[in-house]
Amino acid sequence: MPVISDKLINAGVYVSVESLVKLSSTARRLSYFRARVVKQQQTGSHHSRFKGRGMEFAEVRPYQAGDDVRSIDWRVTARKQSTHTKLFQEERERPVVVICDQSASMFFGSRGCLKSVLAARCAALLSWSAYAHNDRVGGIIFNDQQLLTIKPGRNRKSILQYINHVVALNNELSAETSASAPQLNRNQQFTLALKEACQVIKPGTLIFVISDYHKLDATGERHLNTLAKHNELVLLRCTDPLEKNLPTGGALPVSDGDHTFYVRGQDEGARKVLSNWDQAITNRVEQLSRNRNVNAWELNTNLDFERQLAEISRQVSLGASSR
């Protein structure tokens, strides 16, 4: 792992293990993980939104692939001439999985911190919060060349393992290392991470996906829709003010790790292209949030990440689904 100076960490360019471990002291403030019904710790403390067999009847909906055939409501099926399934709510243990993007496009920021740092801090705080509320916590971390999976566990060791992997991939980011990654890998890693999630995550899991969603494609969208069928999915999109609105004065250097060119802020054509590109990403994420099991929110590099997560968790608890 590269040696990163405290100056760069304090400036919001990189994160350290120490800075992410410190977040454990404020973790209980997030309401995502506050139990509504409390039982014994090992049997679970959450009223699950997982759609399966349980003790309490919830509703009836059209049958979906993967539903338990024993839960088919034959009376409703006969009346509506299409297969319907009974849904139940049960108290169950809820695993939490945090998917954290540390790819090249995240190594960007104009103020506050880089998007990669914002994602790492939020991933750590969410993990500590879940752990503080007795949930099993795991994660998937990826960059342009690597994909690492941590199986959910209810112990401090699992959190520290996850944090160490996040920091390792974060500290490897630079314009030079971004340029060395094959272009094919850069475009596929987000999709591969979501595919991995579909394969390893069990139904009933609370899933956070923290990314800028620059590499979200049609296949990735299908994976997210698959995850949302039997899990609660929260999409957190990391953004920077410069991605939404170019300053009007001067020429700005822009680099993708391979090439550097200059954009004139007063160029209306360039401003429109940037605005349309950002809006297209926003539209794709918002389209996903129309699924009832999906919440989509934006995180800004220019704002305090703890306050942003606290406000999002408060809004979710009030029934809001996106912003």
Side-chain angles (χ1 to χ4, degrees), residues 207-258:
I207 307 168
F208 295 92
V209 184
I210 312 174
S211 173
D212 57 12
Y213 293 85
H214 286 190
K215 299 297 192 301
L216 178 63
D217 57 17
T219 303
E221 287 184 19
R222 288 196 294 272
H223 291 324
L224 287 172
N225 282 319
T226 297
L227 289 169
K229 286 183 179 179
H230 296 287
N231 303 283
E232 184 175 356
L233 189 60
V234 181
L235 309 181
L236 299 175
R237 182 187 169 208
C238 298
T239 65
D240 183 85
L242 196 62
E243 294 177 320
K244 296 182 175 295
N245 187 26
L246 283 174
T248 55
L252 301 171
V254 180
S255 174
D256 63 357
D258 294 313

Side-chain angles (χ1 to χ4, degrees), residues 130-287:
Y131 171 69
H133 291 87
N134 298 321
D135 286 318
R136 291 189 294 116
V137 188
I140 297 174
I141 317 101
F142 66 96
N143 61 11
D144 294 310
Q145 302 182 68
Q146 301 179 69
L147 193 159
L148 305 169
T149 302
I150 308 298
K151 183 179 178 182
R154 193 190 290 103
N155 54 69
R156 189 178 177 87
K157 181 179 178 181
S158 295
I159 308 293
L160 293 176
Q161 184 182 16
Y162 178 72
I163 284 176
N164 273 281
H165 284 315
V166 169
V167 171
L169 296 195
N170 174 270
N171 289 180
E172 289 178 4
L173 283 169
S174 70
E176 291 74 21
T177 56
S178 298
S180 66
Q183 188 65 36
L184 183 62
N185 283 13
R186 295 188 210 177
N187 294 337
Q188 289 186 345
Q189 283 296 94
F190 189 26
T191 301
L192 291 175
L194 296 177
K195 180 181 179 181
E196 171 79 358
C198 290
Q199 293 173 342
V200 302
I201 292 177
K202 295 181 179 180
T205 298
L206 173 58
I207 307 168
F208 295 92
V209 184
I210 312 174
S211 173
D212 57 12
Y213 293 85
H214 286 190
K215 299 297 192 301
L216 178 63
D217 57 17
T219 303
E221 287 184 19
R222 288 196 294 272
H223 291 324
L224 287 172
N225 282 319
T226 297
L227 289 169
K229 286 183 179 179
H230 296 287
N231 303 283
E232 184 175 356
L233 189 60
V234 181
L235 309 181
L236 299 175
R237 182 187 169 208
C238 298
T239 65
D240 183 85
L242 196 62
E243 294 177 320
K244 296 182 175 295
N245 187 26
L246 283 174
T248 55
L252 301 171
V254 180
S255 174
D256 63 357
D258 294 313
H259 308 92
T260 299
F261 59 96
Y262 290 85
V263 177
R264 294 172 56 196
Q266 57 267 46
D267 185 333
E268 286 300 321
R271 295 170 67 86
K272 185 175 182 180
V273 168
L274 180 64
S275 176
N276 291 343
W277 169 74
D278 180 77
Q279 189 60 49
I281 298 174
T282 299
N283 292 342
R284 297 194 81 163
V285 175
E286 287 183 349
Q287 179 65 35

